[in-house]
Amino acid sequence: MLNIPTTEERLGKSPQRLVHYFVLFMALVYVGLGVWLWVSAHEPSDGGIINMGTNARRVLGSVFILYGLVRFGRAYHVHFRKKTPSDDHE
């Protein structure tokens, strides 16, 4: 059988590493969407992309911001935290 190197061997990187950064990027997208909704609540609604009242935009924006922060914290904890010997027992 031919000994053809895999993509991971040729590149020296794991595709999983890209996923780690994508998860962080998506968390920042959620936070950014929440900030945009919160800021746009002060502007009068002209029937644009999202036609909601001021309070609904603020509540939804707050939910997106909180979700993005929780997701960012969880992704950092899972993918980027240094492993310690006590982590093996969890």
Side-chain angles (χ1 to χ4, degrees), residues 28-40 50 60-61 64-65:
L28 293 175
V29 166
Y30 281 115
V31 171
L33 179 61
V35 169
W36 176 75
L37 282 170
W38 184 267
V39 170
S40 69
I50 300 175
L60 187 60
F64 273 120
I65 291 170

Side-chain angles (χ1 to χ4, degrees), residues 13-69:
K13 298 178 183 177
S14 170
Q16 196 66 13
R17 186 171 178 88
L18 181 64
V19 172
H20 296 196
Y21 290 107
F22 180 74
V23 170
L24 288 179
F25 174 74
M26 285 306 299
L28 293 175
V29 166
Y30 281 115
V31 171
L33 179 61
V35 169
W36 176 75
L37 282 170
W38 184 267
V39 170
S40 69
H42 300 292
E43 301 169 3
S45 179
D46 60 353
I49 296 173
I50 300 175
N51 191 11
M52 285 193 269
T54 301
N55 290 335
R57 282 180 184 240
R58 286 184 179 162
V59 169
L60 187 60
S62 298
V63 168
F64 273 120
I65 291 170
L66 289 174
Y67 178 69
L69 291 174

